[in-house]
Amino acid sequence: MKYIKEFRDGKKAKILAEQIKKEVKQNYAFMEFCGGHTHAIFKYGLTDLLPPEIKMIHGPGCPVCILPEKVIKQAIDLTLDRDILFCSYGDLLKVPGPKGDSLLKAKARGANVSMVYSSLDALNLARKNPDKKIVFMGIGFETTAPATAMAIKMAKDQNLTNFFVFCNHVLTPSAIQNIFHSPELRNMQELKIDGLLGPSHVSSIIGTRPYEYFTEEFEKPVVIAGFEPLDVLQSILMLVRQVNEKRAEVENQYIRVVDKEGNQTAKNIVAEIFELERNFEWRGLGSIPYSSLKIKKKYKQFDIKAYVKLSEEKVLGHKACQCGAILRGVKTALDCKLFGKTCTPENPLGPCMVSAEGACGAYYHWYINKKVENGKRDKTMSLGHD
Amino acid sequence: MEPITLAHGSGGKKMVTLIEDLFLKKFNNHNLPQGNDFTSFEVSQKKLAISTDSYVISPLIFPGGDIGSLAVHGTVNDVCMSGAKPLYLSASFIIEEGLDLKILEKIVSSMAEASKKTGVPIITGDTKVVEKGKGDGLYINTTGIGEIPSNLNITGSNAKPGDKIIINGSIGDHGMAILSFREGLNFETTLQSDSAPLNSLIALMCEFFPQINCLRDPTRGGLAACLNELASQSKVAIKIFEENIPIKTEVHSACELLGLDPLNVANEGKLVTICPPEIADDLLKTMKSHPFGVNSQIIGEVLEGTDVFMETSFGGQRKISWPESEQLPRIC
């Protein structure tokens, strides 16, 4: 496979890091939207290379992190029907719902829960198990929505009557807009964002055009960045330059994959199958209008919501869990009392701990707390100024 | 196809035939056919090492090995991690009704061959058959016993600040070879499991370098779990260098695709050794002279402290944490 080593070249990284150091003129706070970026920043120790003037804020772009407890409860409730074989991408299975229950625990109790790597695997299971109702959990941003849409389209073409989708796909631009509108950002006291490291795989689908709104409306620079460590460093340099030159533009660092218009085929299939849901409750960000997708009436035979009345009861997470504030960038994992003590990847109390793309999971796995003195945890961390 | 039936585990004639015609024939050695419920053997006054392991791997036959050879290599290697010379193995079979006798024969032959090549005979065993649906083809348990040379003191709690850490070759081969074969995940690769007996390599290492402090095989949980175990047992910190860790391109690529970290992926023919710095270069040379150590590398060092961390090829540092839950169930 190409493109593993090319974008992980330590020597080139040092050159980029030097260049960033040369060009910094002030303190900068940049938010990386995607969990993939958070992952790269921690895994490659990028913060050790960045000058202290640059602070990275970890955004909400981790698909499992933003699902509310209510949706996890609904999923677990669905598995009570033992005729259902519930299929999901792996990370979701561990996400804690009410009272720490999860799909993985439901599986241990005897529920039919299966991890799949692709929506098409779920479709195969439907073909192989005609006596079972296969429910595929559609989660994720614009990157995974086309695959879910394609599975629904194929199920229709193949006249499958035992394939259903529990659709919880969400939209990136709505979440970004919500963060830029947040009171914490507006009053500048709690959160300062000078620029956005834009999504990489999401942008390969939607293109760079949707971000133009943010540069115009909020006057924040956006750089679409790849997920490899050199991509991230180069994009940070591009953001520094925009801030220094007082520009607020959409720039595309990830030109090997992303273009202005995105993937028209993927956009078409999504438009064919889905429409905007009036409202979606995001964990951490709250209710955001028109921020998620639902299955169109024309395809409602594949919508599990058309058959089962799901509980709308509000479910509260762990009281001390700070995932909400962490997802908005207001707090970091180290601000949470539960972090690393009662909340660990083996026993996650909040969703950000589940995946290494979640902010807490990334801290837990890779962050070396260099400033632990006298057993006291340093809240400023080594990630730059505060 | 002749399927295994419950009668093969009933204690009756059919079971005796299976034992005599298959197990005794294949595992043939002078200790085995004593006809008793036990095997007697003599031990010296020396210090002994014993280890037991159950093998539940799926699929039973995989690129580079099968559950039979794995059950020999895995337990032999565990015994060796004390520096011991493994002497004997036991083998227990839990067979699911319906297993094709041909498959069982193939696995038992491979097990016998592994035992022969390794020089560690299987001297006692047991067979049980469970009803269809109550097992998954075949599970094997093996126990190994070995003699520890009196001049050695090798344990996981012996690592000292300043020591060097060496691995005998590339990581992640076993886990990724198994994964490539799993239903629903088939991806094309020529990757083979690294399943191998390490007793001759360890005998060579210990003969010339009895000062070795630790030996550990990075099986389930991979190199990450292995180093965390050693660090916590010895109450030290461990630093490894990303650039020095041997990883095959195929393993790296497959891990990228599936979102796995090669450091967490299982190995079945690898060992990590920790030794005083003054013997590290010579020990490395000796290891490289052995067929199972050709790609040996010094991958890190022991420091004072508590964490396991890695200097990335970027010049940054990151923590190597314990792998969480099972990346992949039933890998050995």
Side-chain angles (χ1 to χ4, degrees):
Chain A
M1 186 204 253
K2 260 185 100 71
Y3 294 151
I4 289 190
K5 288 197 174 141
E6 289 84 344
F7 293 92
R8 296 177 190 179
D9 183 331
K11 282 181 199 140
K12 290 198 178 113
K14 283 191 188 97
I15 297 171
L16 273 170
E18 277 308 309
Q19 198 56 38
I20 293 172
K21 264 178 215 157
K22 254 189 231 165
E23 298 196 20
V24 290
K25 286 183 181 159
Q26 57 173 83
N27 286 339
Y28 307 79
F30 299 132
M31 175 178 270
E32 83 273 6
F33 182 82
C34 286
H37 292 132
T38 310
H39 185 93
I41 287 169
F42 281 91
K43 187 170 174 191
Y44 295 93
L46 296 190
T47 42
D48 291 343
L49 299 178
L50 292 173
E53 289 87 350
I54 293 178
K55 178 182 178 182
M56 298 306 294
I57 299 164
H58 317 303
C62 156
V64 299
C65 298
I66 53 83
L67 285 178
E69 286 91 342
K70 186 181 83 180
V71 170
I72 305 299
K73 178 170 188 316
Q74 290 171 340
I76 295 170
D77 286 350
L78 279 171
T79 67
L80 291 175
D81 177 351
R82 293 294 194 246
D83 287 337
I84 283 180
L85 171 54
F86 194 90
C87 306
S88 166
Y89 298 132
D91 278 347
L92 184 80
L93 303 185
K94 287 193 285 182
V95 175
K99 298 198 176 90
D101 202 8
S102 66
L103 284 163
L104 209 59
K105 289 182 184 168
K107 182 178 161 74
R109 292 194 297 265
N112 300 309
V113 177
S114 181
M115 184 189 100
V116 289
Y117 265 92
S118 151
S119 60
L120 300 185
D121 290 345
L123 211 56
N124 279 337
L125 283 170
R127 273 192 296 265
K128 278 188 194 163
N129 300 282
D131 54 328
K132 287 260 181 237
K133 293 183 265 183
I134 309 299
V135 177
F136 173 71
M137 178 94 177
I139 56 158
F141 293 89
E142 290 85 342
T143 333
T144 48
T148 306
M150 186 52 100
I152 292 176
K153 183 91 179 18
M154 287 169 76
K156 175 131 186 158
D157 292 346
Q158 295 166 13
N159 297 318
L160 282 176
T161 53
N162 65 331
F163 178 78
F164 309 94
V165 170
F166 180 29
C167 182
N168 287 283
H169 284 290
V170 289
L171 302 172
T172 311
S174 325
I176 297 178
Q177 190 175 352
N178 181 273
I179 289 169
F180 282 147
H181 271 307
S182 74
E184 287 108 343
L185 193 66
R186 278 194 183 156
N187 70 25
M188 296 285 284
Q189 296 301 311
E190 286 187 69
L191 182 64
K192 169 177 171 273
I193 297 178
D194 298 306
L196 187 75
L197 214 60
S200 60
H201 293 165
V202 163
S203 307
S204 72
I205 307 291
I206 66 174
T208 63
R209 200 190 283 277
Y211 304 100
E212 286 169 4
Y213 169 76
F214 302 110
T215 54
E216 285 161 20
E217 182 71 20
F218 302 101
E219 293 176 348
K220 302 283 183 197
V222 176
V223 174
I224 309 299
F227 277 148
E228 293 298 324
L230 282 187
D231 292 324
V232 174
L233 282 178
Q234 189 180 31
S235 302
I236 290 172
L237 179 61
M238 289 164 81
L239 280 174
V240 167
R241 285 180 179 164
Q242 284 209 42
V243 174
N244 287 353
E245 293 160 17
K246 300 201 164 37
R247 288 185 289 127
E249 297 164 11
V250 178
E251 287 184 311
N252 181 11
Q253 181 275 339
Y254 200 31
I255 47 171
R256 64 184 185 278
V257 174
V258 174
D259 63 20
K260 193 161 185 163
E261 301 304 330
N263 182 333
Q264 201 52 54
T265 315
K267 288 200 287 191
N268 288 346
I269 183 90
V270 168
E272 163 74 20
I273 307 289
F274 298 121
E275 60 191 3
L276 289 176
E277 176 76 274
R278 191 178 297 249
N279 229 327
F280 189 82
E281 180 82 24
W282 293 56
R283 198 178 303 209
L285 305 183
S287 179
I288 309 180
Y290 302 109
S291 64
S292 69
L293 297 174
K294 67 173 180 183
I295 299 169
K296 279 183 177 171
K297 278 219 175 80
K298 191 178 162 195
Y299 291 94
K300 80 169 191 205
Q301 68 197 92
F302 303 105
D303 187 353
I304 194 70
K305 290 174 188 168
Y307 301 85
V308 184
K309 178 106 184 82
L310 297 168
S311 159
E312 288 295 328
E313 188 191 334
K314 199 165 171 66
V315 183
L316 294 173
H318 194 290
K319 266 190 212 155
C321 173
Q322 298 293 325
C323 281
I326 290 166
L327 286 167
R328 294 196 303 278
V330 183
K331 289 190 174 170
T332 78
L334 302 187
D335 295 323
C336 179
K337 283 180 194 155
L338 306 174
F339 175 78
K341 292 179 183 159
T342 43
C343 183
T344 61
E346 292 83 27
N347 182 31
L349 297 177
C352 300
M353 184 55 95
V354 169
S355 146
E357 293 192 3
C360 300
Y363 267 95
Y364 187 90
H365 283 289
W366 294 318
Y367 176 67
I368 306 167
N369 198 344
K370 290 171 189 160
K371 292 191 178 173
V372 175
E373 280 169 334
N374 306 325
K376 200 180 155 199
R377 191 175 267 155
D378 186 333
K379 288 195 176 171
T380 62
M381 312 168 301
S382 62
L383 294 186
H385 68 89
D386 213 356
Chain B
M1 154 181 170
E2 191 192 339
I4 292 288
T5 63
L6 289 174
H8 281 108
S10 65
K13 188 83 189 117
K14 212 159 183 179
M15 183 171 118
V16 175
T17 315
L18 181 72
I19 290 173
E20 286 180 352
D21 289 0
L22 182 60
F23 296 115
L24 291 185
K25 204 165 135 195
K26 296 285 185 191
F27 297 155
N28 180 34
N29 63 71
H30 70 275
N31 274 309
L32 193 53
Q34 293 170 353
N36 293 318
D37 283 347
F38 57 87
T39 297
S40 61
F41 59 94
E42 291 186 0
V43 289
S44 58
Q45 295 299 310
K46 286 177 185 164
K47 209 161 144 187
L48 299 178
I50 184 166
S51 184
T52 189
D53 210 335
S54 297
Y55 298 85
V56 297
I57 190 165
S58 164
L60 296 175
I61 298 169
F62 50 84
D66 55 61
I67 189 170
S69 54
L70 185 67
V72 170
H73 298 157
T75 300
V76 161
N77 291 349
D78 280 346
V79 172
C80 287
M81 295 303 146
S82 59
K85 176 184 186 297
L87 299 173
Y88 302 112
L89 284 173
S90 75
S92 278
F93 297 81
I94 297 169
I95 311 170
E96 186 191 15
E97 180 187 15
L99 178 73
D100 186 350
L101 187 61
K102 284 239 163 53
I103 293 178
L104 184 64
E105 277 172 7
K106 192 174 165 173
I107 287 166
V108 172
S109 298
S110 144
M111 199 170 174
E113 197 187 320
S115 147
K116 206 168 145 193
K117 274 195 184 156
T118 313
V120 188
I122 295 163
I123 62 166
T124 184
D126 180 50
T127 311
K128 295 278 176 349
V129 178
V130 295
E131 309 98 292
K132 182 129 190 99
K134 305 282 166 152
D136 188 5
L138 174 65
Y139 302 141
I140 303 177
N141 170 278
T142 51
T143 298
I145 188 163
E147 274 183 355
I148 306 175
S150 58
N151 60 337
L152 300 183
N153 179 23
I154 297 174
T155 123
S157 56
N158 269 356
K160 294 170 187 69
D163 282 359
K164 297 283 181 196
I165 303 165
I166 308 177
I167 193 162
N168 68 322
S170 62
I171 60 166
D173 299 7
H174 177 73
M176 294 324 285
I178 302 301
L179 200 49
S180 71
F181 245 59
R182 282 279 168 89
E183 197 188 350
L185 270 183
N186 302 11
F187 50 89
E188 275 182 37
T189 170
T190 50
L191 203 59
Q192 300 237 321
S193 165
D194 60 346
S195 174
L198 297 172
N199 53 331
S200 61
L201 172 61
I202 288 177
L204 179 75
M205 290 162 63
C206 292
E207 186 187 342
F208 292 103
F209 302 97
Q211 311 94 310
I212 286 173
N213 284 327
C214 312
L215 282 167
R216 176 87 24 125
D217 51 348
T219 50
R220 265 174 306 171
L223 186 60
C226 171
L227 295 176
N228 272 289
E229 281 167 20
L230 291 169
S232 86
Q233 240 182 307
S234 290
K235 300 189 174 61
V236 292
I238 284 178
K239 177 184 182 177
I240 54 172
F241 300 95
E242 188 173 23
E243 277 176 353
N244 296 2
I245 299 169
I247 304 178
K248 287 184 180 145
T249 312
E250 303 95 293
V251 171
H252 214 148
S253 307
C255 280
E256 282 295 318
L257 278 174
L258 299 173
L260 303 175
D261 186 339
L263 290 173
N264 297 346
V265 180
N267 309 279
E268 286 295 345
K270 292 294 160 339
L271 64 85
V272 168
T273 181
I274 299 185
C275 69
E278 59 275 13
I279 63 164
D281 289 338
D282 293 334
L283 175 59
L284 180 70
K285 259 185 225 157
T286 306
M287 288 172 71
K288 279 176 178 278
S289 73
H290 189 280
F292 292 140
V294 179
N295 296 316
S296 297
Q297 284 278 355
I298 298 181
I299 56 165
E301 59 199 21
V302 178
L303 305 170
E304 277 178 34
T306 50
D307 264 332
V308 178
F309 59 99
M310 178 158 88
E311 189 125 331
T312 70
S313 44
F314 259 65
Q317 284 186 351
R318 73 160 161 111
K319 192 169 110 182
I320 307 288
S321 52
W322 287 90
E324 48 176 292
S325 58
E326 197 80 77
Q327 259 189 339
L328 194 64
R330 297 185 48 203
I331 196 128
C332 58

